[in-house]
Amino acid sequence: DGGITQSPKYLFRKEGQNVTLSCEQNLNHDAMYWYRQDPGQGLRLIYYSQIVNDFQKGDIAEGYSVSREKKESFPLTVTSAQKNPTAFYLCASSWPGQGNTEAFFGQGTRLTVV
Amino acid sequence: AQSVSQHNHHVILSEAASLELGCNYSYGGTVNLFWYVQYPGQHLQLLLKYFSGDPLVKGIKGFEAEFIKSKFSFNLRKPSVQWSDTAEYFCAVNLNRDDKIIFGKGTRLHILP
């Protein structure tokens, strides 16, 4: 089945540690996205990538980093510089091209930093 | 900066009531518009989308939305809601120039049986 896989579903880390969230897609989509979902805040864009080896900052990129070395993969690293990292993180992918395509979402990773 | 505003954060309705959820966006260029739904414990799913053509679009489960360009709005409607429509609903805008997708803060809909 085609889809987007985020792993793990739940992740716990100690404060001050970097942590990497995985996102893999087999939909052959060029564009991939990372969002953070907090209660009452909706989905806020962290980073997005339209093509391999290229990515752009979203609205809340501070404290996060990404890479896009392969079309299928778009890992997100939550660094120790992120002041409030505990959140639900969603990865998405789509076909780029003048925006006339919807995004498909993974199941999400809930990160808790203690 | 571009933004998406959803007017209602929490809506409570009885079954069979009519629903309208407001969505406005701020961006002067060409956009594509979406409504997504997140049922409890499930991932985000596309409800409907507008790219071009007829501004009244129909989606799954009896939902529809109307794009009014002059008002920068894309309100979601359903004539008669069901208990199973209990979920969180998100309006989203894709800025054509760079494929950036921006979401509103969501509306939590609770349907009383």
Side-chain angles (χ1 to χ4, degrees):
Chain A
D1 285 339
I4 301 175
T5 302
Q6 290 186 242
S7 60
K9 191 172 181 179
Y10 299 97
L11 191 54
F12 295 86
R13 278 294 181 270
K14 289 185 178 179
E15 196 172 337
Q17 289 182 334
N18 291 356
V19 60
T20 298
L21 281 58
S22 168
C23 178
E24 305 277 332
Q25 54 99 359
N26 60 3
L27 299 168
N28 202 32
H29 287 166
D30 284 312
M32 296 188 74
Y33 306 81
W34 273 107
Y35 292 89
R36 171 180 170 141
Q37 186 178 13
D38 298 284
Q41 295 289 325
L43 277 70
R44 292 182 289 171
L45 183 63
I46 304 173
Y47 269 98
Y48 65 109
S49 167
Q50 292 172 281
I51 198 166
V52 174
N53 293 322
D54 186 47
F55 47 81
Q56 328 296 329
K57 290 183 178 181
D59 299 318
I60 56 165
E62 186 175 348
Y64 299 97
S65 66
V66 292
S67 62
R68 187 81 188 280
E69 296 176 2
K70 297 188 298 182
K71 187 176 186 177
E72 305 79 27
S73 178
F74 191 41
L76 173 74
T77 297
V78 184
T79 76
S80 56
Q82 168 51 233
K83 292 182 173 55
N84 187 18
T86 294
F88 188 57
Y89 291 88
L90 284 166
C91 179
S93 70
S94 74
W95 290 106
Q98 292 79 48
N100 56 347
T101 178
E102 68 266 30
F104 294 82
F105 284 84
Q107 294 274 19
T109 293
R110 187 167 297 281
L111 172 64
T112 302
V113 175
V114 296
Chain B
Q2 307 93 7
S3 65
V4 177
S5 299
Q6 291 184 239
H7 314 304
N8 317 99
H9 298 298
H10 196 185
V11 173
I12 302 173
L13 294 171
S14 297
E15 273 194 310
S18 64
L19 170 72
E20 181 161 2
L21 301 182
C23 174
N24 286 87
Y25 64 93
S26 63
Y27 178 64
T30 304
V31 297
N32 298 119
L33 300 154
F34 309 89
W35 276 96
Y36 284 85
V37 60
Q38 189 174 36
Y39 296 104
Q42 297 188 26
H43 63 279
L44 275 160
Q45 304 171 36
L46 182 71
L47 205 52
L48 48 78
K49 60 189 177 186
Y50 171 79
F51 293 154
S52 63
D54 189 345
L56 183 63
V57 293
K58 295 190 184 300
I60 60 172
K61 304 187 180 185
F63 286 91
E64 65 179 32
E66 184 175 12
F67 171 50
I68 303 179
K69 190 175 181 180
S70 60
K71 294 185 178 180
F72 298 88
S73 70
F74 191 55
N75 292 355
L76 180 71
R77 299 195 292 251
K78 185 170 183 178
S80 175
V81 294
Q82 300 172 305
W83 178 79
S84 58
D85 292 326
T86 294
E88 191 159 17
Y89 292 80
F90 295 93
C91 182
V93 171
N94 188 322
L95 308 180
N96 276 1
R97 66 163 192 264
D98 59 8
D99 286 307
K100 186 176 178 182
I101 305 176
I102 300 172
F103 282 79
K105 292 189 175 182
T107 297
R108 196 175 292 274
L109 176 65
H110 187 73
I111 306 300
L112 302 173

